[in-house]
Amino acid sequence: MNNKNILSTKKQISTGLLFIVLLIIVALVSILTINAYVTSSVEDKIITAGEAANLDVDCILILGAGVWGSRPSYMLEDRLLQGIELYENGTSNRLLMSGDHSRKDYDEVNVMKQFAIDRGINSEHIFMDHAGFSTYESLYRARDVFQADRIIIVTQKYHLYRALYIAEKLGIEAYGVASDKRQYVGQEIRDLREILARVKDFFTVIFEPEPTYLGEAIPIDGNGDLTND
């Protein structure tokens, strides 16, 4: 290979590397821009438990998280405690537990309901969404299956932004109460993953795909025991 060909090859490699670097920069800027837009657009929807008590809402939606057998994980326990507090302060007399019950050996929602019953909540006031497999599906089903138009969402603050953004784009009037009652191991990783999840759901709500399951309507103002399995 002569010097001219060597120089041409080096130039092509340099151009290719520059193009890749530019693509990475554009991708990072896009991710950070979307993340900032999602969080800032719903910031004013995050309220205190006291403020929530003054609202007229259809239900308190508690988003699921991991369980350890028959016990909620620490994050889920804090969500449940915050939701029960809202129930008890008169925010709403309906709790909607939405989580993953895709397998017989893994059941978030029955653990969530039992936790509330053990703390004196009327079983008929607790609805279970067994097919809340993602934040998007939980909100979609809250609207279409449980016919909730105005809700309070309970989860940790880092997660609330995305949940509130999805709700807004689905036409649900939603407010959020954060359930950060302690420090959680591995939160730094969750925060990074959540940035990507916000970007994903930014595009998801544009196309609004149907959730994995829909089924017949179960109005949230009815009897929660209809969702028992």
Side-chain angles (χ1 to χ4, degrees):
M1 183 180 291
N2 57 40
N3 289 337
K4 185 177 180 179
N5 288 337
I6 292 173
L7 289 173
S8 176
T9 300
K10 287 183 176 179
K11 185 177 180 181
Q12 289 175 354
I13 292 172
S14 297
T15 301
L17 289 173
L18 179 60
F19 181 71
I20 291 171
V21 169
L22 287 174
L23 279 180
I24 292 172
I25 292 172
V26 169
L28 288 174
V29 170
S30 298
I31 288 170
L32 294 176
T33 300
I34 291 172
N35 178 67
Y37 171 70
V38 169
T39 56
S40 63
S41 67
V42 296
E43 182 74 46
D44 62 342
K45 298 287 188 179
I46 299 176
I47 60 177
T48 66
E51 291 170 328
N54 296 319
L55 298 176
D56 179 22
V57 297
D58 298 325
C59 70
I60 300 158
L61 170 62
I62 304 176
L63 296 174
V67 295
W68 303 321
S70 61
R71 289 184 52 204
S73 62
Y74 295 133
M75 293 188 78
L76 182 55
E77 180 180 28
D78 289 347
R79 295 178 192 184
L80 291 164
L81 290 171
Q82 185 61 71
I84 290 169
E85 178 187 333
L86 291 169
Y87 177 96
E88 291 176 340
N89 76 7
T91 298
S92 174
N93 68 346
R94 291 294 186 274
L95 293 172
L96 175 54
M97 311 298 197
S98 185
D100 185 351
H101 187 191
S102 57
R103 310 189 311 268
K104 287 185 177 181
D105 61 344
Y106 186 78
D107 180 356
E108 293 177 359
V109 290
N110 274 289
V111 171
M112 294 166 75
K113 180 163 184 171
Q114 190 60 51
F115 185 94
I117 289 173
D118 290 344
R119 282 150 187 80
I121 308 299
N122 186 338
S123 177
E124 294 183 2
H125 292 176
I126 307 169
F127 288 72
M128 291 185 289
D129 177 6
H130 299 264
F133 303 137
S134 68
T135 306
Y136 172 78
E137 292 189 276
S138 291
L139 270 302
Y140 195 116
R141 286 173 54 80
R143 182 193 68 180
D144 284 26
V145 175
F146 298 96
Q147 301 182 341
D149 300 316
R150 201 162 191 250
I151 65 175
I152 295 289
I153 302 171
V154 177
T155 185
Q156 278 71 28
K157 189 173 183 180
Y158 83 97
H159 186 205
L160 264 181
Y161 296 105
R162 178 160 57 100
L164 288 167
Y165 183 81
I166 293 169
E168 181 180 276
K169 296 306 176 183
L170 291 179
I172 303 169
E173 184 178 350
Y175 300 87
V177 175
S179 59
D180 300 90
K181 297 183 179 295
R182 67 185 99 187
Q183 295 291 322
Y184 306 103
V185 176
Q187 188 57 43
E188 296 81 5
I189 299 298
R190 290 190 197 92
D191 289 338
L192 290 173
R193 289 172 57 191
E194 186 65 15
I195 292 173
L196 297 177
R198 288 173 193 147
V199 173
K200 174 182 70 70
D201 282 337
F202 173 84
F203 291 103
T204 299
V205 295
I206 293 173
F207 300 101
E208 200 172 320
E210 286 194 359
T212 307
Y213 300 108
L214 270 176
E216 297 181 3
I218 308 172
I220 198 69
D221 59 356
N223 187 338
D225 285 341
L226 292 175
T227 62
N228 292 353
D229 57 352

